[in-house]
Amino acid sequence: MLRRSLIKAAVLAACVGTLGYSSAALAADKVNVQLDWVVRGNHAMFFVGKEKGFFAKNDIDVAEIRKGSGSPDAMRLVGNENADFGFGDLPTLAVARSQNVPVVALAAVNQHSPLGIISLAKTLKLAKPSDLKGLTIGIHPAGSTYIFFKGFLAANGLTEKDMTLNSVSPPYESYLLLGRVQTVVGYVDAEVPELEAKAGGPGSLSIMMGSDHGWKAYGSGLFTSQKMIKDKPEIVARFVKAYREAFDYVVAHPEEAAEITAKAAPGYADKKDVLLAQINADIASTFTSPDTKEHGLGWMTKTQWEETLKTLTDQGVLKAALSADDVFTDKFLAKE
C-alpha cells in the first residue's frame, strides 16, 4: 500500500509539473509587428529574436511580422492598435505625432540617418549639396524619403525650385538605372546594396549622405502606441529587452542573421547576400554612436531628438509644436 501511495504521489507531482510548464508556456504574451516596408537587413532583429529564442525567453510570442507600405502607414497601423509594435523612420514618426497619431519611439536602430542622395558615378559625382542645382531628382512624394529630402534642402539653403523633381514609386533604383532621373533619394542600408549589384558593384555609385550635410536626425527605429505604454508597460519592457538582445546578436553574427531572415521571410530564400550587405552597411555606418558605446544599441537622447524636431520645424512639416518627450521614451532602455 505504501509503495502504491508513493507511485500515486509521484505521478501527481509529475502532472502538476507538466501543467505548471504548460501554463508558463501559454503565459507568453502574443504580439504583432508592423514593418515599414518589405523585409530589409535592419528588420533582422525581429526574425533573429524569434528564431534564437530571445522573445520566448522574455515571455513574448511574436505571432506576425507584417511587411508594410511605408513608414507613415506603419505609424497609423500601430497608432490605431492594428499592430502592437512597429518599425519605421523616426523623423516620420515625429511628423505623424504632430498629426495626432499616438505613437512613441522606443529605440533608435539607426543612430545616424541612412538616407542619402544617389547617382551613378560614371555619369555624375555628388560632392556637395549645391551639386543638386539643375538636376532631375527622383523622389517619392510621400513618406520618409520626402521628409528627409525637404529637411536636407532646408539644412543646406536649397529649395525644390533649384532642381526638377520627378515623382517615382518603388523600386526607385530602376529609374536611375534606366536614366530617367539623374539622382534618387534612398537608403544606404536598403536601395544601395541592390543598386550596386545592378550598377557594377562597390564604387559604381556616388552617394551624398544627409548625415554629412546637416541632416542631424535618427534614422529608423522601434516604436509602439501610447496606449500600449499606458496599459501594458510590462509587455513593452520585455519586448524592448528581447529586441535589444537580438540587436546585439545581429551585430555580432551578421551572416547568420541574414541567413535566418532569408529563411523566415517569404520569398527571400535567394536574398541572403543582399540582406547581409544591408546589415553590414548599417554596422559600418549607422548602428553605433558614442551614446550606444556607453549605453548599448538602440539608445536615444533628448538632445538628439530636440535637434531632430528643430530641423523638422524649420522645414515646416510638423503640423503642431512638439517636445522631445512627446515623441520618445527611454525608460524601457534603462539598464536593470
Side-chain angles (χ1 to χ4, degrees), residues 12-307:
L12 180 61
C15 289
V16 170
T18 302
L19 288 170
Y21 176 81
S22 299
S23 297
L26 291 173
D29 291 292
K30 186 175 290 189
V31 301
N32 295 315
V33 172
Q34 178 63 54
L35 303 181
D36 52 342
W37 199 241
V38 296
V39 174
R40 290 169 168 169
N42 59 7
H43 299 142
M45 296 69 152
F46 299 110
F47 299 97
V48 168
K50 190 169 183 177
E51 173 68 20
K52 302 300 290 187
F54 295 116
F55 287 119
K57 184 178 71 173
N58 286 279
D59 293 324
I60 298 289
D61 174 14
V62 178
E64 285 188 272
I65 303 171
R66 305 165 182 163
K67 68 179 182 179
S69 54
S71 289
D73 287 339
M75 311 298 172
R76 283 191 289 270
L77 288 166
V78 172
N80 292 337
E81 301 175 57
N82 288 307
D84 302 295
F85 296 92
F87 185 92
D89 180 67
L90 296 182
T92 303
L93 179 143
V95 174
R97 190 73 187 83
S98 77
Q99 297 168 339
N100 297 317
V101 180
V103 285
V104 180
L106 297 170
V109 171
N110 301 118
Q111 294 289 304
H112 315 288
S113 175
L115 278 160
I117 301 170
I118 308 160
S119 67
L120 297 177
K122 65 182 180 181
T123 59
L124 176 66
K125 294 201 174 176
L126 300 170
K128 56 189 183 300
S130 60
D131 291 342
L132 299 178
K133 289 185 176 181
L135 297 184
T136 300
I137 299 178
I139 183 79
H140 189 47
S144 60
T145 51
Y146 187 54
I147 288 171
F148 155 73
F149 186 64
K150 288 186 70 176
F152 179 85
L153 294 183
N156 291 284
L158 299 169
T159 71
E160 294 180 19
K161 293 180 181 178
D162 292 321
M163 56 214 70
T164 300
L165 302 186
N166 279 8
S167 179
V168 299
S169 300
Y172 308 131
E173 57 265 24
S174 61
Y175 295 85
L176 187 62
L177 294 169
L178 293 172
R180 294 177 180 172
V181 297
Q182 292 170 287
T183 67
V184 293
V185 179
Y187 287 82
V188 70
D189 58 352
E191 283 86 12
V192 165
E194 297 207 45
L195 255 174
E196 281 185 337
K198 298 171 183 175
S204 60
L205 304 177
S206 178
I207 306 168
M208 184 162 56
M209 295 300 298
S211 58
D212 293 332
H213 297 280
W215 178 244
K216 304 301 182 184
Y218 289 123
S220 296
L222 180 69
F223 64 92
T224 191
S225 65
Q226 287 181 307
K227 185 172 176 57
M228 192 79 176
I229 290 173
K230 179 183 176 183
D231 295 348
K232 302 177 181 178
E234 74 290 346
I235 295 178
V236 177
R238 285 186 278 116
F239 189 94
V240 172
K241 183 174 184 291
Y243 182 87
R244 293 183 82 194
E245 290 172 353
F247 197 170
D248 287 338
Y249 195 91
V250 168
V251 171
H253 308 277
E255 188 158 347
E256 185 184 355
E259 185 174 346
I260 288 171
T261 305
K263 286 181 178 178
Y268 275 70
D270 61 345
K271 292 192 175 182
K272 176 192 168 184
D273 290 345
V274 170
L275 290 167
L276 178 58
Q278 292 172 337
I279 293 170
N280 282 334
D282 272 325
I283 291 173
S285 61
T286 77
F287 279 166
T288 58
S289 68
D291 290 325
T292 65
K293 289 176 182 176
E294 182 177 355
H295 301 288
L297 294 170
W299 192 260
M300 297 181 293
T301 69
K302 189 170 185 176
T303 299
Q304 177 74 347
W305 265 111
E306 286 173 341
E307 191 164 1

